[in-house]
Amino acid sequence: MKNLVILGGGYGGMRLLNKLTDQHFPEDIHVTLVDRVPYHCLKTEFYALAAGSISDHAVRVAFPKHERISYKYGEVSSIDLEKKRILFTQDEPLTYDELVIGLGCEDNHHNIPGAAEYTYSIQSIDKSRSTYQALNNLGHGKVVAIIGGGLSGIELASELIEGRPDLDIRLYDRNDKILSSFPTKLSNYVESWFVEHNVTLVHNSNITRIEPNLLYNHDEVIPCDAIVWTAGIQPVEPVRNMPVEKDKGNKIVLTKQHTIPGYPDVFVVGDCAALGHAPSAQLAEGQAEQIYQVLLKKWANEPIPESFPPIKLKGILGSLGKKHGFGLMAERPITGRMARVLKSGVLWMYKYHNG
Ligand SMILES: Cc1cc2nc3c(=O)[nH]c(=O)nc-3n(C[C@H](O)[C@H](O)[C@H](O)COP(=O)(O)OP(=O)(O)OC[C@H]3O[C@@H](n4cnc5c(N)ncnc54)[C@H](O)[C@@H]3O)c2cc1C
């Protein structure tokens, strides 16, 4: 029996698991899925979990069951490519014949003093739960600083103000306009939504230091009651520590078949992989489909495709609370209720297809 180990049951790992369970795989292959949590997490909804507008149950999906798929729950500490084994913080090492690394990403605090220690996060389910607790225990008029005006910062700020209009929410962004790389129509729409809902936008910010309940923006020291970090991501530590070629964002450079050069049995999927696009759930899923094709060919001893067509990305959708949204579909900006309905529809379909 050959053992395929999949590290991480996120969007990439889950899509691969579903392909394997739905479409069958050879009798002599056993699959082991490793994750720190015993369910698939809907990471794209962590902003709502942290804001307190959806339940914990709503972001969890059960892993599929199959007689030749087993699950191991533990914290991966490192990946030894030479000895073909996975090391854990507590458990015994696990060996593999083939490996798919899909451990996702965590916050990048850009070496800003105090940022790792004194900010809350929405990058993992346990951290989002802590953020939920901290934000929802705040009293009337307390100040919440959200650092980073990208998609997740915007979604968190809007979801939070809708449920807690009594909070003083400030969104710090380093550009002179929010969503500055998007069409002006979108950034104007999102900015006016925030103005209308009394969220303070702090443009051209440069956070230089964070202390307990204190934020340093340029030379100004701002007292805050909670600070949430949404200003950058990087692959998780066990991946950052791997002695293989990475891009500027510390993501692993891959062959056209999604393997690590020199290691034809080791694939990397999702946020850990250098794919030339901004990381996203849809990118991780598209890549997982291609990895599945390579595995089938390998197992059948057939030639592996020399390359794949570019992964099709359908667009970007963001929410502004429960009723409004924004997005880019086929390069065209969409705003308002329709964007929000589309986003809810995508989530509904995802949950439906994942049982
Ligand atoms: C608030 C927010 C909103 C987003 N919105 C969108 C969106 O609208 N559309 C979109 O396409 N993308 C969105 N994204 C990005 C998307 O969530 C990621 O790109 C996607 O989750 C990447 O999938 P992945 O499989 O690489 O990793 P993940 O989905 O992050 O899965 C990684 C898995 O690895 C496990 N893991 C990590 N480290 C360890 C370890 N050391 N040991 C054991 N297990 C471990 C985790 O528990 C997790 O299950 C959003 C992200 C955030 C934070």
Side-chain angles (χ1 to χ4, degrees):
M1 208 55 141
K2 261 181 150 185
N3 197 17
L4 165 69
V5 172
I6 305 173
L7 298 183
Y11 289 86
M14 185 72 167
R15 175 56 62 96
L16 187 54
L17 273 185
N18 282 334
K19 292 298 285 185
L20 292 165
T21 43
D22 291 352
Q23 320 233 337
H24 307 295
F25 54 100
E27 297 280 326
D28 61 342
I29 304 291
H30 183 90
V31 178
T32 308
L33 186 286
V34 175
D35 205 297
R36 56 160 73 108
V37 291
Y39 36 76
H40 167 60
C41 291
L42 303 179
K43 186 171 186 177
T44 60
E45 308 310 303
F46 283 177
Y47 70 92
L49 178 65
S53 60
I54 58 170
S55 73
D56 201 280
H57 176 72
V59 299
R60 288 186 263 129
V61 171
F63 287 131
K65 288 193 171 73
H66 188 282
E67 57 192 7
R68 277 180 289 114
I69 298 181
S70 55
Y71 293 91
K72 177 171 175 59
Y73 303 119
E75 183 74 22
V76 173
S77 58
S78 62
I79 300 161
D80 184 342
L81 293 178
E82 305 313 321
K83 294 194 176 136
K84 294 188 105 174
R85 57 181 200 161
I86 310 303
L87 293 119
F88 294 88
T89 50
Q90 292 189 331
D91 305 305
E92 291 300 305
L94 175 72
T95 54
Y96 61 82
D97 297 299
E98 278 151 340
L99 179 68
V100 179
I101 304 170
L103 292 171
C105 66
E106 59 190 23
D107 292 300
N108 184 350
H109 297 103
H110 308 290
N111 295 322
I112 294 171
E117 294 84 349
Y118 306 120
T119 63
Y120 291 97
S121 165
I122 55 169
Q123 282 302 325
S124 67
I125 192 161
D126 57 325
K127 288 181 178 166
S128 302
R129 286 170 181 148
S130 307
T131 307
Y132 156 74
Q133 237 182 350
L135 295 179
N136 286 278
N137 279 331
L138 291 173
H140 177 87
K142 296 290 182 187
V143 177
V144 178
I146 298 172
I147 317 296
L151 181 67
S152 46
I154 289 173
E155 291 193 313
L156 175 64
S158 54
E159 195 82 3
L160 190 58
I161 197 75
E162 216 173 59
R164 288 290 310 272
D166 61 304
L167 292 174
D168 177 353
I169 301 174
R170 302 169 189 182
L171 182 57
Y172 288 82
D173 190 51
R174 65 179 173 179
N175 296 308
D176 55 4
K177 224 169 189 353
I178 220 156
L179 293 177
S180 56
S181 58
F182 286 76
T184 319
K185 183 183 172 189
L186 279 192
S187 40
N188 285 348
Y189 175 76
V190 174
E191 293 220 344
S192 15
W193 193 95
F194 279 128
V195 171
E196 219 175 281
H197 290 79
N198 295 320
V199 171
T200 308
L201 295 176
V202 187
H203 293 123
N204 299 311
S205 62
N206 180 21
I207 306 304
T208 52
R209 182 177 192 82
I210 293 173
E211 289 175 9
N213 296 332
L214 282 182
L215 183 65
Y216 291 71
N217 182 24
H218 298 280
D219 295 330
E220 192 188 357
V221 187
I222 304 135
C224 300
D225 298 289
I227 306 170
V228 188
W229 192 263
T230 57
I233 52 169
Q234 59 183 341
V236 293
E237 199 177 349
V239 170
R240 295 204 302 279
N241 290 342
M242 288 174 71
V244 295
E245 190 187 347
K246 321 252 180 46
D247 71 0
K248 277 190 280 181
N250 250 327
K251 291 180 279 186
I252 298 180
V253 173
L254 299 175
T255 64
K256 289 189 170 133
Q257 293 76 29
H258 307 295
T259 57
I260 299 182
Y263 299 91
D265 296 328
V266 183
F267 301 79
V268 184
V269 69
D271 288 2
C272 298
L275 296 171
H277 293 280
S280 70
Q282 49 178 326
L283 186 61
E285 291 181 294
Q287 197 200 359
E289 303 243 351
Q290 297 187 349
I291 291 174
Y292 172 68
Q293 298 300 329
V294 178
L295 283 170
L296 286 189
K297 294 283 180 198
K298 259 182 121 221
W299 291 334
N301 285 322
E302 288 173 13
I304 293 167
E306 287 189 5
S307 62
F308 285 96
I311 296 166
K312 278 199 188 125
L313 300 174
K314 294 187 189 102
I316 295 168
L317 286 168
S319 66
L320 291 168
K322 293 283 184 250
K323 293 193 186 126
H324 300 98
F326 60 95
L328 262 185
M329 301 297 282
E331 309 282 311
R332 287 178 47 203
I334 48 166
T335 54
R337 282 181 191 257
M338 182 46 75
R340 190 63 178 94
V341 169
L342 279 174
K343 187 171 165 86
S344 301
V346 169
L347 177 64
W348 189 89
M349 290 289 283
Y350 186 82
K351 282 186 161 179
Y352 179 79
H353 284 297
N354 285 280

